[in-house]
Amino acid sequence: MAPKPLGKAVENRLAGPRKKVAILGGGIAALSAAFELTSQPGWKDAYEISVYQTGWRLGGKGASGRNPDMSDRIEEHGLHIWMGFYANAIGMMRKCYEELARPQGSPLARWSDAFKPHHFIVAEEQVDGRWIHWPYDAPRSSALARLPAPWDYVRMMLDSMRSFFHRSTLFAALAPRKDAVPPDEAVTPARQTASVLQKHNIALPDSEPGYLDAAADLARAVPQSPALQLVQDHYAITWLLRRFIAWLWSKLAERVEQSDEARRLWIMLDLGYANVAGVLADGVLFDGFDAIDDRDYQAWLRQHGASEITIRSALIRGLYDFVFAMVHGDPARPSFAAGAALRLILRTAYGYDEAIMWKMQAGMGDAVFAPLYEVLRKRGVQFHFFHRVKNLGLSPDKQAIATIRIGRQVTLKQPEYEPLVTVKGLLCWPNRPLYDQIQRGEELREQGINLESSWTTWQDAEELTLRSGQDFDLVVLGISLGALPHVCPELIAASARWRSMIAHVQTIATQSLQLWMIPDLAHLGWNLRSPVVTAYEEPLETWADMTQTLPRENWPSNEQPGSIAYFCGPLDDPEPIPPFSEHDFPDREARRVRRTAAEWLRRATGHLWPAATSAAKPAALDWSLLFDRSGKAGEARLNQQFWRANVEPSDRYVISAAGSTRHRLKPDQSGFGHLYLAGDWTRNGLNVGCVEAAVMSGRQAARAISGALQTIPGESDL
């Protein structure tokens, strides 16, 4: 197949002098920029690309490592599951695996071996002080030609509302015979709506439930382009929905607390109503979802008529939990920009191909970052591990990046660090440096030095200064937002836009817990399929069964766990965060996570795993069910599990608080010469903390460098 023709801008850049590109950071955004740049034909004639990474592994917030002391078990930074709408991230990994071309039959040889579709989700409802499972089996989806636009979503939401209502077992019991507003009623809104319906050859409903059908039919009848629609069309849809919802509440008000089906029917239809009404009222059809990002999503729903039952529901709590949408990690202070929230909901529900989620069949480091490293290295990208970026220096006129100061953390015994280990035939990242490749490696091991920590006592082996025009021509800043105040103080001081971003785009710490259990799911008492669970008890409110990774770990065949559970949640921040001279801070926070996990398991296990508790303590975990080859008893068995406090600046999660979107910088608008930005903290079109936003941003940075004219899926709502 002949390569696609290049645009003139790309041809000119390829024909110019070869540029040195310094990519700072080794997370998914940075590597996406490298992957995009090196996917262009003839890229080696245009660029020399170097990646500078702290410590011994790639991955950023998505890094994982194998623990050789624990049968090479997988230890993650957190719970990572890819959403089905991740068109850019999934597309990149499909290409990566195709190029990697592992031998057939080898571990994770193909994309389809490394990622498996997942359809089953459970939200946890709390009703009258008790928890109730709300399961959802997402349908399989066919491939989308493109992501839907806002008006497509309006139609889809209305169709879904109609389908959900008509499929409900309550439908027949609720439907009245003849209680609709007659066509000749002398009420102006009714007459206006009747006129709009007649114009589109839609009959005025003869029963109140028919108003929902009429609204859905009208949305299908008006022109596809919002520019060709009339205000009267939007008004009629909203009026029909409002009347339907008022009638529905009159029928369900006394049932929602007693009946799971009535409550869920109300929440689904009320949420759909408020979303549609808000989209039609607030300019989203013409300006995109960013137009409503100055408001919190819950407040926006309330403004457009949603009930408190809906706003407090498991669906909304689960949404906020999914993106840790809380200021300083405090569940009592939720904040999620309405447009970013609604965009995420709609892409999740309607924008996926095949599966709503994809589960990796090994650690994220194994399934994502090792393949990317292998492919990029073979392409010719240079990787510099143990290079800690300390400062970006500006030119005298404060207009461009002039220097990059880097601490080389260690001295290698060989020219290049070889970072991967093999576990059961699969190349993986270890959970610690490979000390035999490092001078003073035994000292690092004996002292338990964490080279990924900003609070480390370790002194860099030497300091380097990279200079513009000599060591680099272009810079991709792929370091996460939480670290930027520490590495970019000159940029922040020189730019009001940078100061605004740092002040308004917030980050929070998170915590994660991994449990290796002796019983399988059924013997723990979970009587549904392998789930992803959200909206449960704070602070470890999200749980996923990750037993699918067990075959990739190296347990003895006669002694291995029966199931693996991952939990995650926010970690409330100490204020202020202590200085890096307070070296024991990460250890203190890790001990806090351990205490939190123990307390949570004592009070919250019973609902999820009723067979994993005792009659004397029906809410508490039976510690003997934790897999522990050391033979410890009681709560001490928890010490053989894995927990993590993500408090490092670059590990902190970027939240999308109300009013913050306009303060984000775009990847190609850093405001400084030579500098491009890559990360989920940029204004990339998705604007939430996730893999897809990071990959989109990396691709946008690469596009700005190369001059390529391609459109990146999902970067525009319209």
Side-chain angles (χ1 to χ4, degrees):
M1 181 182 295
K4 294 181 179 179
L6 301 173
K8 282 295 182 185
V10 179
E11 291 178 352
N12 291 338
R13 297 202 185 202
L14 292 175
R18 195 164 183 249
K19 291 182 172 61
K20 295 180 179 179
V21 182
I23 298 180
L24 309 182
I28 193 68
L31 298 185
S32 299
F35 193 89
E36 187 76 14
L37 284 172
T38 58
S39 294
Q40 297 177 15
W43 75 269
K44 287 185 178 180
D45 296 326
Y47 309 113
E48 177 184 321
I49 300 175
S50 298
V51 175
Y52 296 88
Q53 169 65 32
T54 298
W56 67 94
R57 59 181 166 181
L58 302 175
K61 290 189 283 289
S64 67
R66 296 306 191 104
N67 188 336
D69 301 328
M70 294 283 188
S71 298
D72 296 308
R73 73 183 186 185
I74 297 162
E75 296 177 348
E76 297 270 6
H77 273 51
L79 171 55
H80 301 291
I81 295 174
W82 286 27
M83 304 305 293
F85 74 83
Y86 286 6
N88 292 279
I90 290 172
M92 179 178 70
M93 292 312 301
R94 286 183 183 274
K95 293 176 184 176
C96 178
Y97 272 90
E98 182 178 351
E99 187 172 338
L100 193 60
R102 287 172 172 163
Q104 192 68 35
S106 62
L108 308 191
R110 303 289 180 267
W111 148 265
S112 56
D113 300 324
F115 289 78
K116 298 292 185 182
H118 182 85
H119 308 280
F120 189 62
I121 307 166
V122 179
E124 295 296 340
E125 293 187 288
Q126 193 169 31
V127 180
D128 292 332
R130 60 192 178 92
W131 289 100
I132 303 170
H133 301 315
W134 184 352
Y136 176 63
D137 193 7
R140 279 68 171 167
S141 173
S142 57
L144 293 171
R146 61 171 179 82
L147 279 171
W151 182 249
D152 299 317
Y153 286 129
V154 169
R155 289 176 167 177
M156 290 173 170
M157 284 190 283
L158 289 167
D159 288 344
S160 294
M161 291 172 66
R162 171 160 53 185
S163 175
F164 194 81
F165 180 56
H166 283 276
R167 285 188 290 106
S168 171
T169 58
L170 296 174
F171 174 72
L174 293 175
R177 290 296 177 185
K178 295 278 186 180
D179 65 348
V181 178
D184 60 348
E185 185 185 58
V187 178
T188 300
R191 290 203 308 269
Q192 290 178 344
T193 300
S195 175
V196 171
L197 291 175
Q198 291 168 4
K199 182 181 70 174
H200 292 286
N201 297 315
I202 299 171
L204 188 72
D206 61 0
S207 66
E208 296 269 4
Y211 280 83
L212 175 58
D213 295 316
D217 290 340
L218 180 55
R220 290 287 171 186
V222 301
Q224 170 72 23
S225 171
L228 301 178
Q229 298 166 14
L230 301 177
V231 172
Q232 293 92 325
D233 297 329
H234 297 170
Y235 178 87
I237 292 171
T238 302
W239 187 87
L240 291 163
L241 288 178
R242 186 182 302 117
R243 185 163 185 87
F244 168 77
I245 286 294
W247 166 82
L248 185 67
W249 179 247
S250 72
K251 299 295 184 181
L252 294 181
E254 296 180 359
R255 306 190 194 191
V256 293
E257 296 297 334
Q258 289 76 38
S259 165
D260 292 346
E261 183 169 7
R263 181 178 59 259
R264 293 166 186 175
L265 177 65
W266 169 253
I267 290 169
M268 293 293 289
L269 296 178
D270 186 45
L271 180 61
Y273 156 65
N275 282 334
V276 170
V279 167
L280 296 180
D282 285 349
V284 172
L285 296 178
F286 302 97
D287 300 321
F289 293 102
D290 288 358
I292 56 174
D293 268 347
D294 58 323
R295 283 160 283 178
D296 172 66
Y297 182 56
Q298 290 177 318
W300 183 81
L301 288 174
R302 190 176 288 111
Q303 175 187 347
H304 291 289
S307 67
E308 292 303 311
I309 292 173
T310 299
I311 292 168
R312 296 193 306 268
S313 70
L315 296 185
I316 302 303
R317 287 190 296 106
L319 169 70
Y320 278 64
D321 290 342
F322 180 67
V323 293
F324 306 103
M326 49 205 76
V327 177
H328 294 301
D330 183 357
R333 300 173 65 189
S335 185
F336 195 178
L342 186 55
R343 182 191 292 114
L344 180 62
I345 291 171
L346 296 175
R347 289 191 184 180
T348 297
Y350 302 113
Y352 64 87
D353 287 343
E354 186 176 347
I356 195 169
M357 292 180 175
W358 294 86
K359 278 187 176 181
M360 287 167 281
Q361 304 302 294
M364 190 159 171
D366 313 333
V368 175
F369 293 105
L372 282 172
Y373 170 72
E374 288 186 84
V375 167
L376 290 172
R377 191 179 181 190
K378 288 178 182 177
R379 287 181 177 184
V381 174
Q382 300 174 24
F383 286 88
H384 302 278
F385 294 96
F386 306 106
H387 280 64
R388 180 166 61 98
V389 177
K390 300 174 75 171
N391 186 68
L392 272 65
L394 291 176
S395 57
D397 62 2
K398 310 296 184 185
Q399 297 300 303
I401 304 300
T403 60
I404 305 170
R405 187 157 51 88
I406 291 178
R408 182 179 286 163
Q409 297 173 289
V410 300
T411 301
L412 298 176
K413 295 179 180 178
Q414 57 203 49
E416 189 172 354
Y417 184 69
E418 300 293 339
L420 301 177
V421 296
T422 302
V423 179
K424 298 177 73 171
L426 182 67
L427 286 173
C428 307
W429 302 92
N431 73 341
R432 65 198 70 170
L434 298 176
Y435 298 112
D436 58 350
Q437 299 182 37
I438 302 170
Q439 294 183 20
R440 301 175 63 194
E442 282 307 309
E443 185 180 347
L444 283 169
R445 186 203 306 268
E446 290 170 3
Q447 294 184 22
I449 297 295
N450 181 3
L451 291 175
E452 293 179 329
S453 178
S454 298
W455 283 270
T456 183
T457 59
W458 186 259
Q459 298 298 309
D460 295 332
E462 64 175 312
E463 188 168 283
L464 312 174
T465 298
L466 308 183
R467 302 189 183 280
S468 176
Q470 178 180 329
D471 303 298
F472 69 88
D473 299 295
L474 305 171
V475 180
V476 176
L477 180 58
I479 298 171
S480 193
L481 179 68
L484 298 192
H486 307 288
V487 301
C488 301
E490 293 185 38
L491 282 65
I492 296 167
S495 169
R497 294 180 62 211
W498 276 73
R499 290 194 296 275
S500 178
M501 177 180 68
I502 296 300
H504 293 94
V505 184
Q506 304 172 40
T507 67
I508 67 165
T510 62
Q511 58 187 316
S512 62
L513 172 69
Q514 295 174 224
L515 301 179
W516 287 260
M517 306 298 297
I518 293 174
D520 61 17
L521 270 185
H523 288 91
L524 289 171
W526 180 260
N527 58 8
L528 301 172
R529 300 204 313 278
S530 173
V532 173
V533 172
T534 190
Y536 188 45
E537 187 91 17
E538 300 286 356
L540 297 173
E541 73 286 335
T542 301
W543 160 52
D545 172 44
M546 298 297 281
T547 309
Q548 81 280 356
T549 63
L550 185 59
R552 299 268 58 88
E553 298 181 337
N554 205 15
W555 303 102
S557 59
N558 63 342
E559 188 180 14
Q560 59 180 283
S563 58
I564 303 175
Y566 288 16
F567 297 86
C568 69
L571 182 62
D572 56 304
D573 278 332
E575 295 185 61
I577 296 172
F580 295 152
S581 58
E582 202 166 313
H583 302 300
D584 67 339
F585 173 66
D587 289 338
R588 293 203 315 264
E589 291 299 281
R591 290 193 295 271
R592 183 158 71 103
V593 171
R594 198 271 186 207
R595 291 193 300 272
T596 297
E599 190 277 330
W600 189 91
L601 290 168
R602 282 192 290 267
R603 65 178 165 82
T605 301
H607 169 65
L608 297 179
W609 303 336
T613 65
S614 65
K617 296 180 178 180
L621 177 67
D622 178 353
W623 302 112
S624 69
L625 299 181
L626 290 172
F627 185 82
D628 179 2
R629 298 172 67 195
S630 72
K632 290 184 174 64
E635 187 185 318
R637 295 174 74 88
L638 184 59
N639 295 337
Q640 295 295 301
Q641 312 306 307
F642 181 72
W643 59 89
R644 185 179 174 92
N646 291 308
V647 296
E648 295 296 332
S650 59
D651 286 343
R652 294 173 62 85
Y653 186 88
V654 181
I655 67 171
S656 304
S660 66
T661 299
R662 66 179 181 273
H663 299 284
R664 290 171 175 247
L665 298 176
K666 293 184 178 181
D668 60 348
Q669 295 179 0
S670 74
F672 297 101
H674 315 315
L675 181 64
Y676 301 86
L677 310 176
D680 60 9
W681 47 273
T682 62
R683 190 163 184 173
N684 49 66
L686 188 52
N687 305 332
V688 294
C690 66
V691 165
E692 177 70 354
V695 174
M696 290 168 63
S697 180
R699 295 193 68 196
Q700 289 163 347
R703 178 179 61 190
I705 290 172
S706 69
L709 300 178
Q710 81 269 27
T711 298
I712 294 169
E715 64 182 341
S716 173
D717 297 321
L718 305 177

